[in-house]
Amino acid sequence: MRHLTDKKSLKSIVKEGALDKKYNSRKCDGGYISFEANPPNDLFIDIFSELKKWDSNDIFELVFDAEKLLKDNYQILSTIPGKNNSKFEIKWLWDLENKPDNTDKIGDYAFIKSNVPLKYLTKESRNKLLDWAKENSPYKDLD
């Protein structure tokens, strides 16, 4: 499962050791953290940067191991209870901007309540985050 965030948020995420609902920019999600389940490609990164009006170079991808989360009793939901979250909202925004509908080429939504510890990152994603942390450490120039 892939979560996209801006690089400005990474220091807080690393400090907390988790994705935490308090940093969710979508307050209407009511404490749920959103993911793209089984991302088939990187198209959603482009869509996400346009929807958020972020430079794609400022986006950081965190990939979590859904099997480990499920094994440890995390509930992965396809929608937020009481809400109808779907890729339709992306299609709707794209229609407003007269852009082609590519929602069939991105993964479905997935949601987890509260927070998701970084220990559930895939090995590759953890290594990318560690590389970012080393490059952005306040002590990197003290060698």
Side-chain angles (χ1 to χ4, degrees), residues 10-25:
L10 287 178
K11 286 183 183 176
S12 298
I13 292 168
V14 169
K15 182 179 177 183
E16 296 280 331
L19 286 179
D20 194 297
K21 66 179 187 239
K22 67 184 170 190
Y23 298 114
N24 192 345
S25 63

Side-chain angles (χ1 to χ4, degrees), residues 39-55:
N41 53 50
D42 288 337
L43 178 62
F44 190 63
I45 295 172
D46 297 331
I47 291 172
F48 187 82
S49 70
E50 284 198 49
L51 290 174
K52 293 281 191 173
K53 307 293 187 230
W54 293 351
D55 184 311

Side-chain angles (χ1 to χ4, degrees), residues 90-140:
I90 295 171
K91 181 186 179 335
W92 180 76
L93 289 168
W94 251 214
D95 288 347
L96 286 176
E97 295 188 23
N98 293 317
K99 295 190 181 210
D101 177 18
N102 288 322
T103 53
D104 61 327
K105 296 180 179 112
I106 62 174
D108 289 326
Y109 283 142
F111 299 93
I112 295 179
K113 180 89 171 158
S114 193
N115 72 36
V116 181
L118 297 179
K119 72 178 187 177
Y120 293 103
L121 286 172
T122 63
K123 184 177 180 179
E124 181 180 325
S125 190
R126 184 176 19 259
N127 288 340
K128 285 181 183 179
L129 184 58
L130 287 170
D131 288 344
W132 176 89
K134 287 176 192 172
E135 282 294 314
N136 292 279
S137 164
Y139 308 107
K140 72 177 181 178

